[in-house]
Amino acid sequence: MRKKLILFTLLSVNILSAQKIWDSTYYVKYRSRIIISLFQSYRNYNIEMQQYLKKDTFGLSKLNYIAQANNISGIEFNYDKINFSFGYASIPPANVKQTGKTDHFNIGMNIGGNKWILETGYRRYQGFYDKNTPRYDSSYTKWDTLTTDRRGIYYQLPHMVSTSYKMKFLYFTNNKRFAFKSGYSCSYRQLKSSFSWVVTANGYYNTINSDSGFIPRPVATYYDTHANLRGLDAVGCSVYGGASFNLVLWRAFFINITALGGPEQQWRTYRYNNDTLGYNRTISYLAFSGDIRGSIGLNFKRWYVSLTGLTDFVYYKSGEMMFVSKYFSGAFSLGYRFKVKTPKIYQKFQQTKLYSWM
């Protein structure tokens, strides 16, 4: 009886230990490589506004503010379970006279391995133009004596500023056979196709502010008491889910598709110019938000090339008006894995319970 108990205990320990080890036939992870990639990114950030106070058959009152900072070059560093990226240069738009200039800053960092990832990011954009200007401003179609064409000047808000502080936690249920990072930072390499459900928790603080107000004078009557609106601050948190799938061919070519979405609790503060009537207020809402990603590329032992796309959106809707914040980023990346000796201090970290939990 004693021998059977000892044998049972040893088998149980072996089974539990085996459960902690990933299936190496499905993916490879690189623990002692510094991964450096250069990327060229196209980014689009726009804020849509729409009112429900007055009938607008022709959509004159709809506003679509766009940040003109699209083409950005950057660099990304990966080591084991730590990722850091930032954009260091941008190509100025060719039509600055028509759209105005946007100053921007983006930085991102995430930690975590194959079980979970904590993503953090900060974005700031200053300077927007309204793409829907031709609908309500007849002067837009007049001849421009400097460019001798009919391209007009969009309505511009050079002091309109949008900032975003965001944290996202992702947990992958099939972490023994599915490697999410193999399609993005490529600190892992998926060898066989695999699928995983994803659970995510999100928290953010977004601000949209302008010293002169958001609403152009020609459409101010549509917005009634909101014509002097100049700011919206929002705090949001959510827990929802989705799925992610890695399709792999020939152990190198990959395609990833990820879709997440669900309800979100928001606390919004609306701010107005000359708030003599006391319109400034903070209101709680239940809304919807989501995150859609995709990637395609080649992932070999030492180098990789990828094309990735990410879009996230948030709705700020009330009975009188709606804001929609949309962000899209598409990037072409070329990276290489440099073999290095793991620092002793990091080796100690790899032996901790925290590291094994990641």
Side-chain angles (χ1 to χ4, degrees), residues 22 48 88 93 98 112 128 150 153 165 211 219 260 270 289 326:
W22 78 94
E48 299 177 2
Y88 58 81
Q98 283 74 35
F128 290 76
R150 298 190 70 86
I153 306 298
Y165 307 82
D211 59 352
V219 299
L260 310 168
Y270 294 87
S289 66
K326 297 180 179 179

Side-chain angles (χ1 to χ4, degrees), residues 228-283:
N228 290 323
L229 182 66
R230 67 172 180 84
L232 170 62
D233 299 344
V235 175
C237 64
S238 59
V239 177
Y240 50 76
S244 185
F245 175 67
N246 280 336
L247 172 66
V248 178
L249 300 174
W250 309 293
R251 298 170 65 90
F253 177 77
F254 68 86
I255 297 176
N256 174 271
I257 298 175
T258 302
L260 310 168
E264 175 180 274
Q265 183 63 48
Q266 300 173 349
W267 293 268
R268 311 177 200 161
T269 300
Y270 294 87
R271 306 184 188 281
Y272 295 80
N273 287 321
N274 302 320
D275 184 41
T276 56
L277 299 178
Y279 289 123
N280 287 350
R281 61 193 186 278
T282 299
I283 308 174

Side-chain angles (χ1 to χ4, degrees), residues 10 18-19 33 36-37 47 71 119-120 155 231 267 283 330 348:
L10 291 174
Q19 289 177 344
R33 302 288 177 95
I36 300 176
S37 64
I47 300 168
N71 298 302
E119 299 179 341
T120 62
Y155 179 75
W267 293 268
I283 308 174
K348 292 181 179 179

Side-chain angles (χ1 to χ4, degrees), residues 40-108:
Q40 182 67 44
S41 175
Y42 171 84
R43 302 179 182 183
N44 180 270
Y45 178 52
N46 67 307
I47 300 168
E48 299 177 2
M49 300 183 191
Q50 183 176 352
Q51 58 82 28
Y52 303 117
L53 296 167
K54 295 184 179 180
K55 186 176 180 180
D56 184 8
T57 305
F58 300 103
L60 300 179
S61 63
K62 292 181 180 179
L63 308 173
N64 187 10
Y65 285 110
I66 295 179
Q68 186 73 319
N70 295 334
N71 298 302
I72 298 173
S73 298
I75 188 168
E76 182 175 6
F77 298 92
N78 289 277
Y79 183 73
D80 194 26
K81 299 184 179 184
I82 299 174
N83 170 275
F84 177 77
S85 67
F86 65 94
Y88 58 81
S90 63
I91 301 174
N95 55 342
V96 175
K97 184 176 183 294
Q98 283 74 35
T99 63
K101 181 183 177 183
T102 298
D103 294 321
H104 64 92
F105 180 76
N106 292 262
I107 190 169

